Amino acid sequence: MGDMALTAKGRATRQRIIEGAAAYLRGDDPAGVTLDDIRAITGTSKGQIFHYFPDGKEELFLAVARHEARRVLEDQRPHLGALTSWPAWQRWRDSVVARYRAQGRSCPMGALLSQVGSTPGAAEVVSTLVAQWQFEIAEGIHDMQAAGLVRPAVDAERVAAAFIAGIQGGVQVLRTTGSIEHLEAALDTLIDHLRG
Amino acid sequence: MGDMALTAKGRATRQRIIEGAAAYLRGDDPAGVTLDDIRAITGTSKGQIFHYFPDGKEELFLAVARHEARRVLEDQRPHLGALTSWPAWQRWRDSVVARYRAQGRSCPMGALLSQVGSTPGAAEVVSTLVAQWQFEIAEGIHDMQAAGLVRPAVDAERVAAAFIAGIQGGVQVLRTTGSIEHLEAALDTLIDHLRG
DNA sequence: GATTTTCTGGACCGGTCGGTCCACTGTGGT
DNA sequence: ACCACAGTGGACCGACCGGTCCAGAAAATC
């Protein structure tokens, strides 16, 4: 895949497919998304799809998943990078809640995962995203501990992992029941825990 | 569905289909489970499946989901019903971890949900399960507060919601990456939080 | 400007899978 | 004994969908 010869036009088309697919996945019930949908949305043809993603659906969806994973992180980078005070944590919390409230029931990552299933590629994408996200949260906790705002006894990595789990689960409940209160409860409770 | 006339034999067959499907869903990649798989596993025929579940796949899967939801709760009822001491909480935590560790990457509920998708029926099943589960945890927290073991300032419902989110998310991470540490971290951190 | 390579379009194929249909076999009531 | 209706088996269908193939347009390379 990486050794494919692409002209500027080719790169543009490839990108158009990925972003179009991502946007579509974001807004629609992902369970039944077909290559033909994506073809229609992105104004391309079957030939192009298989030209740029020779391994077909799985390769395309993995590319989209990677794209979305990067989006998730970059979306919160400004907040994630500066978790050095309680108001900063609150702002981060609000941005997460706002993001998923706006996104409604559709979760791009969850979408992709249910499609790609349990292929090794999917596991790798998720692992990378989770690890990165967790790392940044743990960094924030360490910063707070360095500033004397959080007890040193707190295991930063463990609490960061709990954050990840809480967010994932909160989003999942949001997706299937439409209620965002679990996401809020998870974030608030864990921040409370940091406050001690 | 409820007004169908069923003889003893009929009820037995219907149950065999549900339980066989549930067992199969529990052990296999649920993404690609077909009616024909279920037919083969349960030793039945297409005719029977549509005889007992006239609305086809969706009705059958919803029945299985309800069956699994009940199983999840009953599985933990002994622990959930008696969260009145710290050792009891620990035992509950261990049972949850053990259950999902044994189950490995396969999550019956998650399985069903990804199949049934976002139909109203699915939302109802999940809502019911979540509400019930959360209620029992909240009861436990209330008991602890009554016994003076947990600060009265703790919002039992909110923390219970956080538990639900943490468990769901932990299981999801387990499913996609194979690591159980997020589930453990979520449970441990929240119990820690209760301890204050 | 010739040629080689990439890009694009879309007809087509083959397998899969949910769902239908109908003939046949119990089974329980009278 | 009969009959109505539940239960069972499996052939069959039609839609859908991922994937193939090839022919022609457009660029790049020389």
Side-chain angles (χ1 to χ4, degrees):
Chain A
M1 180 211 100
D3 56 351
M4 194 183 280
L6 290 185
T7 69
K9 193 178 178 186
R11 252 172 288 131
T13 300
R14 194 187 135 98
Q15 200 60 20
R16 195 174 78 231
I17 294 176
I18 291 182
E19 283 170 14
Y24 186 58
L25 270 279
R26 226 172 289 137
D28 215 295
D29 179 18
V33 169
T34 159
L35 286 189
D36 226 55
D37 293 336
I38 295 175
R39 186 196 53 68
I41 292 289
T42 60
T44 53
S45 67
K46 272 283 184 65
Q48 301 182 64
I49 292 185
F50 282 86
H51 180 64
Y52 295 109
F53 306 93
D55 283 348
K57 200 182 187 185
E58 183 175 326
E59 188 181 349
L60 168 55
F61 275 56
L62 250 91
V64 175
R66 271 189 275 270
H67 178 266
E68 284 299 305
R70 205 149 42 75
R71 234 179 67 99
V72 167
L73 278 179
E74 276 171 8
D75 205 42
Q76 298 176 7
R77 181 89 54 200
H79 297 108
L80 268 183
L83 293 175
T84 53
S85 70
W86 294 123
W89 280 83
Q90 193 61 33
R91 279 195 300 276
W92 170 64
R93 182 224 100 121
D94 289 344
S95 86
V96 173
V97 170
R99 186 211 163 99
Y100 285 106
R101 191 197 300 276
Q103 215 166 70
R105 327 182 74 95
S106 85
C107 171
M109 287 306 292
L112 278 327
L113 295 195
S114 70
Q115 284 274 327
V116 173
S118 43
T119 64
E124 173 249 317
V125 172
V126 177
S127 295
T128 305
L129 171 61
V130 163
Q132 185 74 20
W133 202 345
Q134 182 172 337
F135 173 78
E136 307 228 14
I137 295 174
E139 282 285 286
I141 298 177
H142 280 136
D143 288 351
M144 296 293 279
Q145 287 177 321
L149 292 166
V150 165
R151 284 160 294 137
V154 166
D155 182 338
E157 270 70 28
R158 215 165 170 72
V159 176
F163 265 104
I164 296 296
I167 293 172
Q168 293 296 325
V171 170
Q172 188 171 316
V173 172
L174 168 63
R175 274 186 77 201
T176 48
T177 74
S179 145
I180 206 172
E181 75 182 51
H182 286 78
L183 177 59
E184 292 179 328
L187 286 167
D188 290 342
T189 302
L190 288 170
I191 292 179
D192 262 16
H193 180 249
L194 285 180
R195 284 194 140 104
Chain B
M1 179 210 103
D3 55 349
M4 195 184 275
L6 290 185
T7 68
K9 193 179 181 188
R11 253 172 286 133
T13 300
R14 195 187 135 98
Q15 200 61 19
R16 195 175 76 228
I17 293 176
I18 291 182
E19 281 170 15
Y24 186 59
L25 270 278
R26 225 173 289 138
D28 214 296
D29 179 16
V33 169
T34 160
L35 287 188
D36 226 57
D37 293 335
I38 296 176
R39 187 196 52 69
I41 293 291
T42 59
T44 52
S45 65
K46 274 279 184 65
Q48 301 181 64
I49 292 185
F50 282 86
H51 181 65
Y52 295 110
F53 306 93
D55 283 347
K57 201 183 187 185
E58 184 176 325
E59 188 180 346
L60 168 56
F61 275 54
L62 244 74
V64 175
R66 271 189 275 271
H67 178 264
E68 283 299 305
R70 206 148 41 77
R71 233 179 67 102
V72 167
L73 278 179
E74 274 171 9
D75 205 41
Q76 296 174 8
R77 179 89 55 200
H79 298 108
L80 269 183
L83 293 176
T84 52
S85 69
W86 294 123
W89 280 82
Q90 193 63 31
R91 279 195 299 276
W92 171 64
R93 182 224 102 120
D94 289 343
S95 85
V96 172
V97 170
R99 187 215 161 99
Y100 284 107
R101 190 196 301 276
Q103 213 164 68
R105 325 182 75 92
S106 85
C107 170
M109 286 307 292
L112 279 326
L113 295 195
S114 70
Q115 285 273 328
V116 172
S118 44
T119 63
E124 173 249 316
V125 172
V126 177
S127 294
T128 304
L129 171 61
V130 163
Q132 186 73 19
W133 203 343
Q134 182 171 338
F135 173 79
E136 306 227 15
I137 296 174
E139 283 284 287
I141 299 178
H142 279 137
D143 289 350
M144 295 294 279
Q145 287 178 320
L149 293 166
V150 166
R151 286 160 293 136
V154 166
D155 183 338
E157 269 71 28
R158 213 163 172 76
V159 176
F163 265 104
I164 297 296
I167 294 172
Q168 292 296 325
V171 170
Q172 188 172 318
V173 172
L174 168 63
R175 276 186 74 199
T176 50
T177 74
S179 143
I180 206 170
E181 75 182 52
H182 286 78
L183 177 59
E184 292 179 329
L187 286 168
D188 290 341
T189 303
L190 287 170
I191 291 178
D192 262 16
H193 181 249
L194 285 180
R195 284 193 139 103

